[in-house]
Amino acid sequence: QVQLVESGGGLVQSGGSLRLSCAASGNIFSLGSADWYRQAPGKQRESAATITSAGSTNYADSVKGRFTISRDNAKNTVYLQMNSLKPEDTGVYYCYADIRTETGWNVYWGQGTQVTVSS
């Protein structure tokens, strides 16, 4: 059974920083591309950042220059460093990843971690 567990969310003042972690556990053969999605209250879930298995990254325009996605393949962990946080960054942040197990490639979602930025 594969699980993605996010951590690192919390309450921070505007201009502050947080670092989110997404750890994959279970019988994992390989961690493929991964994304951090976020969902603000009353809004649709959107992709904030993506990292491929080779380490290439892509960001939503709203977070470009402030957020950095990275990965540690040895730990099957993906990170999101969030700097210069704004109140509009408030929401639940979800990890999404392609993972290869004995049954092949499948996609998985984490349970989400709350990020609240106060003005």
Side-chain angles (χ1 to χ4, degrees):
Q1 182 79 8
V2 172
Q3 281 189 315
L4 292 178
V5 178
E6 300 103 332
S7 61
L11 174 64
V12 64
Q13 287 188 331
S14 182
S17 298
L18 285 173
R19 188 191 193 208
L20 306 183
S21 298
C22 170
S25 63
N27 191 17
I28 297 169
F29 287 9
S30 182
L31 179 64
S33 62
D35 298 68
W36 282 99
Y37 279 78
R38 64 183 185 179
Q39 187 166 19
K43 295 189 176 181
Q44 287 191 330
R45 195 174 297 189
E46 62 175 7
S47 175
T50 302
I51 187 165
T52 68
S53 56
S56 297
T57 59
N58 193 46
Y59 298 93
D61 288 342
S62 57
V63 307
K64 205 169 289 184
R66 299 187 298 122
F67 290 12
T68 302
I69 188 171
S70 61
R71 60 192 292 153
D72 184 335
N73 292 328
K75 295 182 179 180
N76 288 326
T77 300
V78 180
Y79 304 97
L80 186 67
Q81 178 66 43
M82 306 186 294
N83 298 328
S84 302
L85 283 162
K86 304 175 182 179
E88 51 263 44
D89 294 317
T90 293
V92 180
Y93 283 68
Y94 298 90
C95 182
Y96 172 88
D98 289 320
I99 296 175
R100 182 171 175 242
T101 66
E102 67 273 15
T103 61
W105 288 96
N106 289 285
V107 296
Y108 297 86
W109 286 95
Q111 84 288 352
T113 185
Q114 177 71 43
V115 171
T116 304
V117 184
S118 64
S119 57

